[in-house]
């Protein structure tokens, strides 16, 4: 009896120590991850004097958004002083069509590969999949040649094309794996009902695809928005995406280094992907696991 | 309303032949059941009728129109799937009307037809729901409604009841039968359940290994099975197969086999019908006597004096299995376990010897080598 009491109190003690350990560790990691963000946000709201005299971790004395407006519309990128604004729109004009087109094509390809199986479908899928493993650097030169040949070098549509081509293996993989779990009988029933390839796709498959569409949007948008290499390689001057412009903004020094402007610009550049995660993130996890467990 | 002809249809996936020359002719308004174990090719054949699978050789016609290269939507057929295959994103009403929508039927007419079909299946109160909100039986009805609303020439059913629980399955079976009686439309129904086949079919095609073993009305399949496979597949408990020797005794042909009675092993002779003269060259040879459990009962003097060819013998009882209506009595004949259906009030205890009576009019004889009916 005495033994068992000693045992239980012993156990609760160890349990407590374990809990404290876990929470301490979690707090340390949370701090570690949130710290850079706090520094960036608070620095972007300080003026230069405060940055020079104050401590890196100290909070701004007052909220001052001058650095934000400056980064958005006045900062010099190279020799042009337009702020990030035009480049931000460049990125949007690149990312939105590229995401939509690559998702659309990926969905149709995934649908054809699973529901209209043809001879060699698996070989074609394997070849498409292989595209996921090609490093960006390998295709830079042939892609530059192709863009020149097509007459879209140094244009936003050129970048859209590059990202659509590079995104297709991933979007096809996502949709193919999602559609594999949708019963073939649905397609057979619709065929007998008189629906054709695209009618079945529009009226039946696509309405069932919301979770995987959200997953693919997040994946593709993040990839395309954050891309630096293609933007830096295939565009110059006013056609650059915001990631390249951010780099140039930070590297363009006219006298004093404006840390607050750099931080504000970095936050602006990161904002769209953050927003996409915040608004669609819960679908992300749900979509990734959809079909893994039979409902 | 249509006739269906399947002529020497074959299906091969690469070198593997799945259907080896199927011939079936179906008259207008018939109910054909394709019966067989999984992998016998019955679903493939149904898919070929629907146009969802290509035909390797041979031809399929509806009303003498060759369908081999006709698209499924132009075949004027409707199909009910085992998984129901309801469109999850559409309401019940839209599910049922989808085929009409694709055929550009005007909205008002479409709604009317959907209403009519739904009322016939008693699901008109569910039209605004999504399939996920329905029970299994309701989904099955929606799937049938989707077929019904199109008023097709032929209905195809692919194991439509196998996802339902036992009670619902029996109910829906009756529904389908009623539906067939009311509409009078030709139907083709795939199942591995021999009870469904017996209850629904106007003719059954029993398939095995890509070959139709027998194509006949249910009663004929039951009473005169074409071979031992069919005999064993249809009927529960299964037909008894007894190894026996054909002998002539007192100018009568009959089968002879061993059994134990009152502690002694001895031969028993069961005379066959007189008409079966063609059996003469089988005398002295081994064959298999096939007899259904209900044809082996307790001996009744009154019935023995009737016109039927009833033979009797005594045999030791091994095991009793009461089912309520009958008691399944296990005995041993010719070295095989044989089941007799005996009235519960006429049974004897295990170990005792009891008098049995066999209805030899219902006996089937099979060649032990080819397993075909003699």
């Amino acid at each position: 009896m005495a033994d068992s009491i000693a045992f239980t109190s012993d156990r609760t003690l160890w349990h407590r120590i374990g809990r404290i350990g876990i929470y301490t560790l979690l707090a340390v990691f949370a701090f570690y991850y949130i710290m850079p963000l706090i520094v960036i946000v608070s620095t972007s709201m300080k003026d230069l004097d405060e940055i020079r005299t104050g401590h890196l971790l100290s909070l701004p004395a007052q909220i001052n958004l001058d650095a934000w407006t400056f980064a958005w519309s006045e900062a010099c990128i190279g020799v042009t002083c337009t702020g990030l604004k035009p480049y931000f729109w460049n990125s949007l004009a690149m990312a939105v069509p590229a995401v939509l087109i690559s998702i659309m094509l990926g969905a149709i390809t995934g649908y054809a590969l699973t529901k209209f199986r043809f001879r060699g479908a698996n070989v074609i899928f394997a070849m498409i999949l292989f595209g996921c493993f090609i490093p960006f650097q390998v295709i830079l030169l042939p892609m530059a040649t192709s863009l020149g040949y097509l007459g879209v070098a140094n244009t936003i549509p050129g970048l859209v094309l590059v990202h659509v081509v590079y995104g297709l293996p991933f979007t096809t993989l996502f949709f193919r794996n999602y559609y594999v779990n949708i019963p073939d009988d649905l397609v057979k029933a619709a065929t007998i009902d008189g629906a054709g390839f695209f009618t079945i796709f529009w009226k039946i498959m696509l309405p069932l695809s919301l979770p995987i569409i959200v997953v693919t949007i997040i994946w593709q948008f993040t990839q395309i928005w954050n891309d630096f290499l293609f933007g830096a390689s295939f565009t110059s001057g006013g056609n650059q995406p915001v990631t390249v412009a951010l780099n140039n903004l930070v590297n363009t020094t006219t006298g004093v280094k404006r840390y607050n402007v750099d931080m504000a610009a970095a936050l602006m550049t990161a904002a769209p992907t953050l927003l996409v995660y915040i608004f669609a993130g819960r679908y992300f996890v749900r979509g990734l696991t959809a079909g893994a467990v039979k409902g | 309303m249509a006739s269906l002809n399947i002529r020497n249809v074959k299906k091969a996936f690469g070198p593997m032949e799945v259907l080896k020359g199927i011939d079936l002719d179906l008259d207008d308004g018939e109910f054909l059941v394709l019966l067989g174990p999984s992998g016998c090719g019955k679903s493939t054949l149904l898919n070929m009728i629907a146009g969802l699978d290509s035909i390797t050789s041979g031809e399929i016609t509806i009303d003498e129109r060759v369908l081999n290269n006709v698209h499924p939507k132009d075949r004027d057929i409707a199909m009910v799937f085992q998984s129901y295959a309801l469109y999850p994103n559409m309401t019940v009403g839209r599910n049922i009307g989808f085929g009409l929508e694709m055929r550009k039927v005007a909205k008002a007419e479409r709604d009317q037809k959907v209403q009519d079909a739904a009322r016939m299946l008693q699901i008109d109160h569910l039209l605004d729901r999504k399939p996920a909100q329905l029970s299994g039986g309701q989904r099955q009805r929606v799937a049938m409604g989707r077929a019904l609303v199109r008023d097709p020439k032929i209905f195809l059913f692919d194991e439509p009841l196998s996802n339902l629980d036992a009670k619902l399955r029996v109910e829906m079976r009756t529904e389908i039968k009623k539906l067939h009686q009311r509409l009078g439309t030709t139907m083709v129904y795939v199942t591995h359940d021999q009870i469904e086949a017996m209850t629904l079919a106007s003719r059954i095609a029993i398939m095995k290994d890509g070959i139709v073993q027998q194509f006949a009305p249910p009663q004929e399949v039951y009473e005169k099975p074409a071979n031992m496979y069919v005999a064993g597949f249809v009927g529960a408990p299964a037909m008894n197969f007894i190894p026996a020797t054909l002998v002539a005794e007192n100018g009568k042909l009959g089968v002879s086999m061993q059994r134990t009675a009152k502690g002694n092993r001895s031969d028993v002779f069961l005379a066959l019908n007189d008409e079966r003269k063609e059996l003469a060259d089988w005398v002295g040879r081994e064959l298999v006597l096939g007899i259904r459990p209900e044809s082996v009962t307790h001996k009744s003097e009154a019935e023995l004096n009737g016109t039927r060819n009833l033979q009797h013998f005594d045999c030791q009882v091994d095991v009793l299995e009461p089912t309520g209506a009958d008691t399944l009595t296990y005995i041993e004949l010719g070295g095989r376990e044989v089941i007799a259906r005996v009235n519960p009030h006429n049974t004897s205890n295990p170990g005792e010897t009891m008098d049995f009576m066999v209805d030899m009019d219902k006996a089937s004889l099979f060649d032990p080598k080819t397993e075909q009916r003699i």
Side-chain angles (χ1 to χ4, degrees), chain A residues 170-206:
Chain A
F170 293 96
T171 55
T172 305
L173 172 70
F174 289 159
F175 279 96
R176 186 255 175 208
N177 286 354
Y178 184 79
Y179 287 151
V180 135
N181 290 315
I182 290 181
D184 291 349
D185 278 358
L186 273 187
V187 176
K188 289 184 186 176
T191 307
I192 291 177
D193 268 343
F197 183 89
F198 284 104
T199 314
I200 297 176
F201 180 68
W202 281 114
K203 299 214 166 184
I204 294 162
M205 300 304 276
L206 220 47

mmCIF file of all heavy atoms in Angstrom, chain A residues 170-206:
data_model
loop_
_atom_site.group_PDB
_atom_site.id
_atom_site.type_symbol
_atom_site.label_atom_id
_atom_site.label_comp_id
_atom_site.label_asym_id
_atom_site.label_seq_id
_atom_site.Cartn_x
_atom_site.Cartn_y
_atom_site.Cartn_z
ATOM 1 N N PHE A 170 4.469 19.551 -60.311
ATOM 2 C CA PHE A 170 3.942 19.535 -58.941
ATOM 3 C C PHE A 170 2.411 19.539 -58.938
ATOM 4 O O PHE A 170 1.787 18.758 -58.232
ATOM 5 C CB PHE A 170 4.478 20.745 -58.162
ATOM 6 C CG PHE A 170 5.952 20.679 -57.922
ATOM 7 C CD1 PHE A 170 6.833 21.334 -58.760
ATOM 8 C CD2 PHE A 170 6.459 19.932 -56.870
ATOM 9 C CE1 PHE A 170 8.200 21.258 -58.549
ATOM 10 C CE2 PHE A 170 7.823 19.844 -56.653
ATOM 11 C CZ PHE A 170 8.695 20.505 -57.496
ATOM 12 N N THR A 171 1.823 20.431 -59.734
ATOM 13 C CA THR A 171 0.360 20.502 -59.712
ATOM 14 C C THR A 171 -0.234 19.195 -60.250
ATOM 15 O O THR A 171 -1.219 18.693 -59.716
ATOM 16 C CB THR A 171 -0.155 21.687 -60.549
ATOM 17 O OG1 THR A 171 0.373 21.585 -61.860
ATOM 18 C CG2 THR A 171 0.258 23.002 -59.947
ATOM 19 N N THR A 172 0.403 18.616 -61.278
ATOM 20 C CA THR A 172 -0.087 17.340 -61.806
ATOM 21 C C THR A 172 -0.015 16.259 -60.732
ATOM 22 O O THR A 172 -0.961 15.496 -60.539
ATOM 23 C CB THR A 172 0.752 16.913 -63.026
ATOM 24 O OG1 THR A 172 0.728 17.957 -63.980
ATOM 25 C CG2 THR A 172 0.201 15.656 -63.643
ATOM 26 N N LEU A 173 1.101 16.219 -60.024
ATOM 27 C CA LEU A 173 1.273 15.229 -58.949
ATOM 28 C C LEU A 173 0.177 15.382 -57.903
ATOM 29 O O LEU A 173 -0.465 14.404 -57.511
ATOM 30 C CB LEU A 173 2.647 15.420 -58.306
ATOM 31 C CG LEU A 173 2.926 14.603 -57.043
ATOM 32 C CD1 LEU A 173 3.062 13.129 -57.399
ATOM 33 C CD2 LEU A 173 4.194 15.090 -56.353
ATOM 34 N N PHE A 174 -0.056 16.632 -57.472
ATOM 35 C CA PHE A 174 -1.081 16.851 -56.447
ATOM 36 C C PHE A 174 -2.454 16.371 -56.921
ATOM 37 O O PHE A 174 -3.152 15.627 -56.226
ATOM 38 C CB PHE A 174 -1.176 18.342 -56.084
ATOM 39 C CG PHE A 174 0.000 18.854 -55.300
ATOM 40 C CD1 PHE A 174 0.302 20.197 -55.255
ATOM 41 C CD2 PHE A 174 0.809 17.974 -54.594
ATOM 42 C CE1 PHE A 174 1.387 20.668 -54.529
ATOM 43 C CE2 PHE A 174 1.892 18.433 -53.863
ATOM 44 C CZ PHE A 174 2.177 19.781 -53.838
ATOM 45 N N PHE A 175 -2.852 16.808 -58.106
ATOM 46 C CA PHE A 175 -4.200 16.484 -58.580
ATOM 47 C C PHE A 175 -4.328 15.009 -58.932
ATOM 48 O O PHE A 175 -5.356 14.390 -58.664
ATOM 49 C CB PHE A 175 -4.570 17.363 -59.784
ATOM 50 C CG PHE A 175 -5.028 18.721 -59.381
ATOM 51 C CD1 PHE A 175 -4.167 19.788 -59.366
ATOM 52 C CD2 PHE A 175 -6.340 18.912 -58.956
ATOM 53 C CE1 PHE A 175 -4.583 21.041 -58.963
ATOM 54 C CE2 PHE A 175 -6.774 20.159 -58.553
ATOM 55 C CZ PHE A 175 -5.893 21.233 -58.560
ATOM 56 N N ARG A 176 -3.280 14.445 -59.488
ATOM 57 C CA ARG A 176 -3.337 13.020 -59.839
ATOM 58 C C ARG A 176 -3.562 12.202 -58.566
ATOM 59 O O ARG A 176 -4.416 11.326 -58.523
ATOM 60 C CB ARG A 176 -2.032 12.629 -60.534
ATOM 61 C CG ARG A 176 -2.017 11.225 -61.084
ATOM 62 C CD ARG A 176 -1.172 10.360 -60.201
ATOM 63 N NE ARG A 176 -1.200 8.978 -60.602
ATOM 64 C CZ ARG A 176 -1.011 7.985 -59.752
ATOM 65 N NH1 ARG A 176 -0.803 8.231 -58.481
ATOM 66 N NH2 ARG A 176 -1.042 6.753 -60.167
ATOM 67 N N ASN A 177 -2.817 12.514 -57.511
ATOM 68 C CA ASN A 177 -2.952 11.741 -56.277
ATOM 69 C C ASN A 177 -4.295 11.969 -55.607
ATOM 70 O O ASN A 177 -4.790 11.103 -54.895
ATOM 71 C CB ASN A 177 -1.816 12.078 -55.310
ATOM 72 C CG ASN A 177 -0.513 11.460 -55.766
ATOM 73 O OD1 ASN A 177 -0.488 10.698 -56.737
ATOM 74 N ND2 ASN A 177 0.562 11.781 -55.096
ATOM 75 N N TYR A 178 -4.873 13.124 -55.830
ATOM 76 C CA TYR A 178 -6.195 13.395 -55.256
ATOM 77 C C TYR A 178 -7.276 12.657 -56.048
ATOM 78 O O TYR A 178 -8.153 12.019 -55.479
ATOM 79 C CB TYR A 178 -6.450 14.897 -55.270
ATOM 80 C CG TYR A 178 -7.738 15.311 -54.607
ATOM 81 C CD1 TYR A 178 -7.836 15.388 -53.221
ATOM 82 C CD2 TYR A 178 -8.864 15.623 -55.368
ATOM 83 C CE1 TYR A 178 -9.010 15.761 -52.617
ATOM 84 C CE2 TYR A 178 -10.041 16.004 -54.760
ATOM 85 C CZ TYR A 178 -10.112 16.072 -53.388
ATOM 86 O OH TYR A 178 -11.283 16.433 -52.788
ATOM 87 N N TYR A 179 -7.179 12.718 -57.358
ATOM 88 C CA TYR A 179 -8.217 12.118 -58.206
ATOM 89 C C TYR A 179 -8.179 10.590 -58.173
ATOM 90 O O TYR A 179 -9.193 9.947 -58.438
ATOM 91 C CB TYR A 179 -8.077 12.609 -59.650
ATOM 92 C CG TYR A 179 -8.513 14.043 -59.823
ATOM 93 C CD1 TYR A 179 -7.960 14.858 -60.799
ATOM 94 C CD2 TYR A 179 -9.498 14.589 -59.005
ATOM 95 C CE1 TYR A 179 -8.356 16.167 -60.948
ATOM 96 C CE2 TYR A 179 -9.896 15.893 -59.148
ATOM 97 C CZ TYR A 179 -9.330 16.684 -60.122
ATOM 98 O OH TYR A 179 -9.737 17.977 -60.261
ATOM 99 N N VAL A 180 -7.024 10.027 -57.854
ATOM 100 C CA VAL A 180 -6.914 8.571 -57.785
ATOM 101 C C VAL A 180 -7.895 8.022 -56.738
ATOM 102 O O VAL A 180 -8.404 6.914 -56.860
ATOM 103 C CB VAL A 180 -5.446 8.187 -57.463
ATOM 104 C CG1 VAL A 180 -5.361 7.121 -56.407
ATOM 105 C CG2 VAL A 180 -4.756 7.716 -58.727
ATOM 106 N N ASN A 181 -8.201 8.843 -55.726
ATOM 107 C CA ASN A 181 -9.096 8.386 -54.660
ATOM 108 C C ASN A 181 -10.565 8.660 -54.945
ATOM 109 O O ASN A 181 -11.420 8.302 -54.157
ATOM 110 C CB ASN A 181 -8.704 9.045 -53.338
ATOM 111 C CG ASN A 181 -7.386 8.502 -52.830
ATOM 112 O OD1 ASN A 181 -7.164 7.299 -52.847
ATOM 113 N ND2 ASN A 181 -6.499 9.375 -52.427
ATOM 114 N N ILE A 182 -10.863 9.332 -56.037
ATOM 115 C CA ILE A 182 -12.266 9.551 -56.406
ATOM 116 C C ILE A 182 -12.711 8.362 -57.248
ATOM 117 O O ILE A 182 -12.030 8.000 -58.211
ATOM 118 C CB ILE A 182 -12.420 10.882 -57.171
ATOM 119 C CG1 ILE A 182 -12.178 12.027 -56.178
ATOM 120 C CG2 ILE A 182 -13.799 10.994 -57.802
ATOM 121 C CD1 ILE A 182 -12.322 13.392 -56.767
ATOM 122 N N PRO A 183 -13.816 7.696 -56.871
ATOM 123 C CA PRO A 183 -14.179 6.441 -57.544
ATOM 124 C C PRO A 183 -14.401 6.612 -59.053
ATOM 125 O O PRO A 183 -15.016 7.584 -59.489
ATOM 126 C CB PRO A 183 -15.480 6.016 -56.855
ATOM 127 C CG PRO A 183 -15.789 7.027 -55.840
ATOM 128 C CD PRO A 183 -14.734 8.057 -55.795
ATOM 129 N N ASP A 184 -13.910 5.641 -59.816
ATOM 130 C CA ASP A 184 -14.062 5.658 -61.270
ATOM 131 C C ASP A 184 -15.533 5.576 -61.682
ATOM 132 O O ASP A 184 -15.911 6.049 -62.752
ATOM 133 C CB ASP A 184 -13.315 4.477 -61.898
ATOM 134 C CG ASP A 184 -11.812 4.662 -61.768
ATOM 135 O OD1 ASP A 184 -11.390 5.770 -61.397
ATOM 136 O OD2 ASP A 184 -11.083 3.698 -62.028
ATOM 137 N N ASP A 185 -16.342 4.943 -60.816
ATOM 138 C CA ASP A 185 -17.757 4.780 -61.152
ATOM 139 C C ASP A 185 -18.434 6.123 -61.422
ATOM 140 O O ASP A 185 -19.361 6.211 -62.215
ATOM 141 C CB ASP A 185 -18.496 4.061 -60.005
ATOM 142 C CG ASP A 185 -18.310 2.555 -60.082
ATOM 143 O OD1 ASP A 185 -17.647 2.100 -61.037
ATOM 144 O OD2 ASP A 185 -18.822 1.849 -59.204
ATOM 145 N N LEU A 186 -17.967 7.189 -60.728
ATOM 146 C CA LEU A 186 -18.545 8.514 -60.954
ATOM 147 C C LEU A 186 -18.387 8.917 -62.406
ATOM 148 O O LEU A 186 -19.321 9.422 -63.034
ATOM 149 C CB LEU A 186 -17.822 9.544 -60.082
ATOM 150 C CG LEU A 186 -18.317 9.762 -58.669
ATOM 151 C CD1 LEU A 186 -17.584 10.928 -58.052
ATOM 152 C CD2 LEU A 186 -19.804 10.025 -58.680
ATOM 153 N N VAL A 187 -17.204 8.676 -62.942
ATOM 154 C CA VAL A 187 -16.931 9.051 -64.325
ATOM 155 C C VAL A 187 -17.739 8.168 -65.278
ATOM 156 O O VAL A 187 -18.304 8.641 -66.265
ATOM 157 C CB VAL A 187 -15.422 8.947 -64.617
ATOM 158 C CG1 VAL A 187 -15.132 9.243 -66.072
ATOM 159 C CG2 VAL A 187 -14.656 9.909 -63.724
ATOM 160 N N LYS A 188 -17.823 6.878 -64.936
ATOM 161 C CA LYS A 188 -18.610 5.967 -65.779
ATOM 162 C C LYS A 188 -20.075 6.398 -65.796
ATOM 163 O O LYS A 188 -20.705 6.448 -66.862
ATOM 164 C CB LYS A 188 -18.514 4.532 -65.239
ATOM 165 C CG LYS A 188 -17.158 3.894 -65.435
ATOM 166 C CD LYS A 188 -17.224 2.445 -64.956
ATOM 167 C CE LYS A 188 -15.874 1.775 -64.992
ATOM 168 N NZ LYS A 188 -15.939 0.424 -64.439
ATOM 169 N N ALA A 189 -20.600 6.705 -64.616
ATOM 170 C CA ALA A 189 -22.005 7.111 -64.528
ATOM 171 C C ALA A 189 -22.241 8.373 -65.347
ATOM 172 O O ALA A 189 -23.224 8.476 -66.095
ATOM 173 C CB ALA A 189 -22.394 7.336 -63.069
ATOM 174 N N ALA A 190 -21.326 9.331 -65.230
ATOM 175 C CA ALA A 190 -21.482 10.581 -65.963
ATOM 176 C C ALA A 190 -21.353 10.358 -67.465
ATOM 177 O O ALA A 190 -22.035 11.000 -68.262
ATOM 178 C CB ALA A 190 -20.436 11.594 -65.487
ATOM 179 N N THR A 191 -20.486 9.414 -67.851
ATOM 180 C CA THR A 191 -20.332 9.101 -69.275
ATOM 181 C C THR A 191 -21.649 8.573 -69.837
ATOM 182 O O THR A 191 -22.095 8.981 -70.908
ATOM 183 C CB THR A 191 -19.227 8.056 -69.473
ATOM 184 O OG1 THR A 191 -18.049 8.521 -68.823
ATOM 185 C CG2 THR A 191 -18.938 7.832 -70.942
ATOM 186 N N ILE A 192 -22.253 7.653 -69.088
ATOM 187 C CA ILE A 192 -23.533 7.100 -69.535
ATOM 188 C C ILE A 192 -24.607 8.187 -69.537
ATOM 189 O O ILE A 192 -25.463 8.234 -70.407
ATOM 190 C CB ILE A 192 -23.944 5.908 -68.641
ATOM 191 C CG1 ILE A 192 -23.001 4.744 -68.902
ATOM 192 C CG2 ILE A 192 -25.385 5.499 -68.900
ATOM 193 C CD1 ILE A 192 -23.243 3.550 -68.042
ATOM 194 N N ASP A 193 -24.524 9.092 -68.550
ATOM 195 C CA ASP A 193 -25.482 10.197 -68.499
ATOM 196 C C ASP A 193 -25.306 11.165 -69.669
ATOM 197 O O ASP A 193 -26.135 12.047 -69.869
ATOM 198 C CB ASP A 193 -25.340 10.966 -67.178
ATOM 199 C CG ASP A 193 -26.272 10.413 -66.109
ATOM 200 O OD1 ASP A 193 -27.204 9.686 -66.479
ATOM 201 O OD2 ASP A 193 -26.064 10.707 -64.921
ATOM 202 N N GLY A 194 -24.192 11.030 -70.392
ATOM 203 C CA GLY A 194 -24.034 11.849 -71.588
ATOM 204 C C GLY A 194 -23.034 12.971 -71.456
ATOM 205 O O GLY A 194 -22.947 13.827 -72.322
ATOM 206 N N ALA A 195 -22.269 13.003 -70.359
ATOM 207 C CA ALA A 195 -21.291 14.070 -70.194
ATOM 208 C C ALA A 195 -19.976 13.667 -70.852
ATOM 209 O O ALA A 195 -19.570 12.514 -70.782
ATOM 210 C CB ALA A 195 -21.071 14.347 -68.703
ATOM 211 N N GLY A 196 -19.315 14.630 -71.481
ATOM 212 C CA GLY A 196 -18.038 14.366 -72.131
ATOM 213 C C GLY A 196 -16.873 14.669 -71.212
ATOM 214 O O GLY A 196 -17.057 14.993 -70.030
ATOM 215 N N PHE A 197 -15.661 14.568 -71.763
ATOM 216 C CA PHE A 197 -14.422 14.750 -70.994
ATOM 217 C C PHE A 197 -14.434 16.042 -70.181
ATOM 218 O O PHE A 197 -14.242 16.031 -68.972
ATOM 219 C CB PHE A 197 -13.240 14.739 -71.976
ATOM 220 C CG PHE A 197 -11.903 14.855 -71.332
ATOM 221 C CD1 PHE A 197 -11.209 13.720 -70.920
ATOM 222 C CD2 PHE A 197 -11.312 16.099 -71.142
ATOM 223 C CE1 PHE A 197 -9.959 13.827 -70.335
ATOM 224 C CE2 PHE A 197 -10.064 16.208 -70.547
ATOM 225 C CZ PHE A 197 -9.383 15.076 -70.144
ATOM 226 N N PHE A 198 -14.688 17.169 -70.856
ATOM 227 C CA PHE A 198 -14.596 18.449 -70.151
ATOM 228 C C PHE A 198 -15.825 18.733 -69.295
ATOM 229 O O PHE A 198 -15.723 19.371 -68.255
ATOM 230 C CB PHE A 198 -14.349 19.588 -71.137
ATOM 231 C CG PHE A 198 -12.935 19.616 -71.622
ATOM 232 C CD1 PHE A 198 -12.611 19.170 -72.886
ATOM 233 C CD2 PHE A 198 -11.924 20.040 -70.782
ATOM 234 C CE1 PHE A 198 -11.292 19.173 -73.320
ATOM 235 C CE2 PHE A 198 -10.599 20.043 -71.195
ATOM 236 C CZ PHE A 198 -10.284 19.604 -72.473
ATOM 237 N N THR A 199 -16.988 18.240 -69.722
ATOM 238 C CA THR A 199 -18.182 18.433 -68.886
ATOM 239 C C THR A 199 -18.012 17.715 -67.552
ATOM 240 O O THR A 199 -18.338 18.253 -66.495
ATOM 241 C CB THR A 199 -19.427 17.876 -69.599
ATOM 242 O OG1 THR A 199 -19.398 18.317 -70.950
ATOM 243 C CG2 THR A 199 -20.687 18.353 -68.938
ATOM 244 N N ILE A 200 -17.506 16.492 -67.601
ATOM 245 C CA ILE A 200 -17.276 15.749 -66.357
ATOM 246 C C ILE A 200 -16.275 16.509 -65.494
ATOM 247 O O ILE A 200 -16.448 16.647 -64.281
ATOM 248 C CB ILE A 200 -16.763 14.327 -66.652
ATOM 249 C CG1 ILE A 200 -17.814 13.540 -67.424
ATOM 250 C CG2 ILE A 200 -16.402 13.604 -65.360
ATOM 251 C CD1 ILE A 200 -17.356 12.158 -67.847
ATOM 252 N N PHE A 201 -15.251 17.035 -66.152
ATOM 253 C CA PHE A 201 -14.228 17.776 -65.411
ATOM 254 C C PHE A 201 -14.817 19.006 -64.723
ATOM 255 O O PHE A 201 -14.635 19.203 -63.528
ATOM 256 C CB PHE A 201 -13.107 18.193 -66.367
ATOM 257 C CG PHE A 201 -12.013 18.965 -65.700
ATOM 258 C CD1 PHE A 201 -11.181 18.338 -64.791
ATOM 259 C CD2 PHE A 201 -11.824 20.304 -65.968
ATOM 260 C CE1 PHE A 201 -10.171 19.044 -64.157
ATOM 261 C CE2 PHE A 201 -10.818 21.013 -65.342
ATOM 262 C CZ PHE A 201 -9.993 20.387 -64.436
ATOM 263 N N TRP A 202 -15.575 19.804 -65.469
ATOM 264 C CA TRP A 202 -16.120 21.044 -64.917
ATOM 265 C C TRP A 202 -17.213 20.794 -63.897
ATOM 266 O O TRP A 202 -17.245 21.415 -62.845
ATOM 267 C CB TRP A 202 -16.699 21.937 -66.027
ATOM 268 C CG TRP A 202 -15.649 22.683 -66.767
ATOM 269 C CD1 TRP A 202 -15.307 22.515 -68.067
ATOM 270 C CD2 TRP A 202 -14.794 23.715 -66.259
ATOM 271 N NE1 TRP A 202 -14.278 23.363 -68.396
ATOM 272 C CE2 TRP A 202 -13.945 24.116 -67.306
ATOM 273 C CE3 TRP A 202 -14.664 24.336 -65.008
ATOM 274 C CZ2 TRP A 202 -12.982 25.104 -67.152
ATOM 275 C CZ3 TRP A 202 -13.706 25.324 -64.869
ATOM 276 C CH2 TRP A 202 -12.875 25.696 -65.933
ATOM 277 N N LYS A 203 -18.123 19.859 -64.219
ATOM 278 C CA LYS A 203 -19.333 19.749 -63.393
ATOM 279 C C LYS A 203 -19.175 18.768 -62.238
ATOM 280 O O LYS A 203 -19.935 18.826 -61.280
ATOM 281 C CB LYS A 203 -20.510 19.313 -64.265
ATOM 282 C CG LYS A 203 -20.797 20.320 -65.354
ATOM 283 C CD LYS A 203 -22.265 20.393 -65.657
ATOM 284 C CE LYS A 203 -22.521 21.632 -66.470
ATOM 285 N NZ LYS A 203 -23.904 21.881 -66.749
ATOM 286 N N ILE A 204 -18.234 17.839 -62.343
ATOM 287 C CA ILE A 204 -18.129 16.836 -61.282
ATOM 288 C C ILE A 204 -16.766 16.845 -60.593
ATOM 289 O O ILE A 204 -16.685 16.983 -59.378
ATOM 290 C CB ILE A 204 -18.454 15.441 -61.834
ATOM 291 C CG1 ILE A 204 -19.922 15.417 -62.240
ATOM 292 C CG2 ILE A 204 -18.197 14.367 -60.786
ATOM 293 C CD1 ILE A 204 -20.289 14.318 -63.158
ATOM 294 N N MET A 205 -15.695 16.753 -61.364
ATOM 295 C CA MET A 205 -14.383 16.649 -60.726
ATOM 296 C C MET A 205 -13.983 17.953 -60.028
ATOM 297 O O MET A 205 -13.598 17.934 -58.863
ATOM 298 C CB MET A 205 -13.319 16.278 -61.767
ATOM 299 C CG MET A 205 -13.570 14.969 -62.474
ATOM 300 S SD MET A 205 -13.741 13.584 -61.353
ATOM 301 C CE MET A 205 -12.033 13.160 -61.108
ATOM 302 N N LEU A 206 -14.075 19.069 -60.736
ATOM 303 C CA LEU A 206 -13.607 20.328 -60.161
ATOM 304 C C LEU A 206 -14.364 20.722 -58.888
ATOM 305 O O LEU A 206 -13.740 21.135 -57.910
ATOM 306 C CB LEU A 206 -13.672 21.436 -61.222
ATOM 307 C CG LEU A 206 -12.489 22.407 -61.227
ATOM 308 C CD1 LEU A 206 -11.161 21.689 -61.154
ATOM 309 C CD2 LEU A 206 -12.544 23.321 -62.426
#
